[in-house]
Amino acid sequence: MSDSGILTGEHFINGDEACAEGAIAAGCRFFAGYPITPATEIAERMARRLPQVQGICIQMEDEIASVAAILGASWGGTKSMTATSGPGFSLMMENIGLGMMTETPCVIVDIMRGGPSTGLPTLVGQADVMQARWGSHGDYGVIALCPSSPQEMFDLTISAFNLSETYRLPVFVLGDELVGHMSEKVVIPPMDQIHLISRPRPSQSSETYLPFMAGEDFVPPMACAGEGYHVHVTGLTHDEQGYPIITPQVHERLVRRLTDKIRLNARKIIQVEEIGIPDARVVVVAYGCTSRAAREAVTLMRSKGKKVGLLRLITLWPFPEERVSKISKNLSAFIVPEINYGQMAYEVERCAQGQAETVLLPLMGGTIHSPQDIMEAVEEYLP
């Protein structure tokens, strides 16, 4: 282990363990969580590793308290994280809304399984995609990253911390059971090769600092408790000073900014992977573990001269609206395999605006698409 506590080198670990290592590499030193399959291995790894890097890991009484704890840790100046799965994610929603309203940087990992309710605890699903976007009430922008391998569980957990610090909000890592429990080689680079971002800090004196006064990027600098600045944090609608002001004008100004800081920075946030898009007549849109079968299907079909492409969503939210709209002009169809009964397919359909047909290829959870499933669906729409 290096002096920084980072396990630089090659490892054969599962996605949950890689997520925990990514968090530690990103500077996370506080984890609060409640055990739930298939995310428990993240809590177990953090419980072993955080004391080695002078961090704190707490098992809370439930998922509601877990989010409350990481929000408090973040306002104390510590990078923080929790991890859960579908039912726990549902319980977290009230305090996720609090985190969005108070613009508190932290990371929330959801290892998706089959639902609704307790559903399929040990089996794969992609059922929480819309819950991540719309789960808490009110209007606000969100960021959700979707890894497809243990290596990406490491890499994208670091990215999630960087995005949470940059834009001051809870950021989601939406893994799935298969990626969380899959073991592959994970390369952890030396600490000096890991790019880390810290939250914007106030440049004003404590007398003139307004904790919710944003600049041109819509993100206010953040002073933490105990640093000598006046800090007032509330879930109520508040003005730039942080005090509750319950007027339509203040609410309009605040909610617009919470939404626009993500919407208007979407081009900087969105990541996708593309294969064969320029000459494709049919494009498969996939994410998470499903994208692995989709990649094999597209590669096999292109080796036979078929004009098929892959658009892999690495960032689920904000959704790559402009890219999907542009691609749709040259296609006969999008094929969208998902381990649910249709969630992202409706986003693809909305952005295609009728220029290309959108075909949902659903699975209800518990198993995964085969490349053959996807190839058969694509063949129906090739000219």
Side-chain angles (χ1 to χ4, degrees):
M1 188 187 306
S2 67
D3 293 341
S4 62
I6 309 305
L7 299 180
T8 298
E10 295 184 359
H11 304 268
F12 188 71
I13 54 179
N14 69 34
D16 283 354
E17 294 166 328
C19 174
E21 292 302 330
I24 290 169
C28 174
R29 293 297 180 267
F30 183 86
F31 179 93
Y34 187 80
I36 184 170
T37 303
T40 300
E41 291 87 344
I42 298 174
E44 291 175 339
R45 185 88 172 192
M46 294 299 269
R48 287 196 302 271
R49 290 280 288 121
L50 275 177
Q52 298 173 0
V53 293
Q54 290 74 55
I56 295 173
C57 179
I58 301 178
Q59 179 176 322
M60 302 300 292
E61 64 267 36
D62 57 32
E63 290 85 350
I64 303 170
S66 299
V67 177
I70 67 169
L71 296 181
S74 182
W75 276 99
T78 302
K79 290 184 178 180
S80 59
M81 185 176 86
T82 188
T84 189
S85 188
F89 198 43
S90 299
L91 287 171
M92 289 179 174
M93 283 301 156
E94 181 178 358
N95 276 337
I96 287 174
L98 177 64
M100 297 296 180
M101 188 60 143
T102 57
E103 301 180 72
T104 308
C106 59
V107 171
I108 297 171
V109 182
D110 175 20
I111 306 299
M112 295 183 286
R113 66 193 209 188
S117 189
T118 44
L120 300 171
T122 61
L123 298 176
V124 68
Q126 294 176 324
D128 306 342
V129 173
M130 285 296 173
Q131 187 181 17
R133 178 63 190 91
W134 301 109
S136 194
H137 53 282
D139 295 300
Y140 53 88
V142 304
I143 299 175
L145 307 179
C146 188
S148 66
S149 68
Q151 182 67 58
E152 283 197 346
M153 287 290 284
F154 176 85
D155 296 336
L156 293 184
T157 299
I158 295 174
S159 297
F161 273 100
N162 285 343
L163 289 165
S164 76
E165 295 283 314
T166 299
Y167 296 104
R168 275 195 62 179
L169 78 169
V171 170
F172 303 120
V173 176
L174 290 185
D176 55 57
E177 184 276 336
L178 198 70
V179 174
H181 284 165
M182 174 191 304
S183 292
E184 287 183 339
K185 185 175 81 171
V186 174
V187 178
I188 299 178
M191 191 62 218
D192 60 5
Q193 295 179 19
I194 297 175
H195 177 60
L196 298 181
I197 295 174
S198 297
R199 62 196 64 177
R201 307 289 292 162
S203 57
Q204 309 92 326
S205 67
S206 59
E207 289 76 22
T208 59
Y209 171 63
L210 296 176
F212 293 95
M213 176 63 78
E216 293 181 355
D217 62 354
F218 307 99
V219 183
M222 183 174 181
C224 295
E227 294 180 333
Y229 289 87
H230 172 80
V231 177
H232 187 276
V233 182
T234 176
L236 289 168
T237 292
H238 47 270
D239 64 6
E240 285 71 14
Q241 200 167 4
Y243 290 159
I245 302 291
I246 313 298
T247 67
Q249 294 78 15
V250 171
H251 190 72
E252 171 95 9
R253 188 166 73 239
L254 175 59
V255 171
R256 277 186 181 276
R257 188 173 61 74
L258 294 178
T259 304
D260 287 348
K261 72 176 179 180
I262 303 304
R263 185 175 67 87
L264 299 180
N265 286 304
R267 288 185 179 179
K268 301 176 190 173
I269 298 169
I270 291 171
Q271 296 182 67
V272 297
E273 176 190 358
E274 298 185 358
I275 297 176
I277 297 291
D279 68 351
R281 297 292 296 139
V282 175
V283 165
V284 181
V285 181
Y287 56 91
C289 69
T290 306
S291 67
R292 298 169 71 104
R295 181 185 289 105
E296 183 169 347
V298 168
T299 301
L300 283 170
M301 295 188 81
R302 290 192 67 83
S303 71
K304 298 175 182 176
K306 308 281 188 180
K307 295 186 181 302
V308 185
L310 171 66
L311 179 66
R312 179 167 77 92
L313 306 178
I314 300 172
T315 307
L316 296 181
W317 305 113
F319 188 75
E321 299 176 355
E322 292 182 4
R323 189 59 184 145
V324 170
S325 177
K326 185 175 181 179
I327 291 172
S328 66
K329 296 173 182 175
N330 302 316
L331 302 183
S332 58
F334 287 105
I335 307 295
V336 188
E338 295 187 89
I339 310 176
N340 53 48
Y341 206 8
Q343 296 198 18
M344 277 313 207
Y346 294 108
E347 282 297 291
V348 175
E349 186 176 47
R350 177 178 68 84
C351 297
Q353 298 180 311
Q355 297 177 105
E357 188 170 351
T358 300
V359 181
L360 171 65
L361 194 60
L363 280 177
M364 292 312 110
T367 186
I368 60 174
H369 299 80
S370 69
Q372 187 64 34
D373 295 333
I374 296 169
M375 287 191 289
E376 289 174 0
V378 169
E379 285 284 5
E380 290 187 29
Y381 293 89
L382 281 175

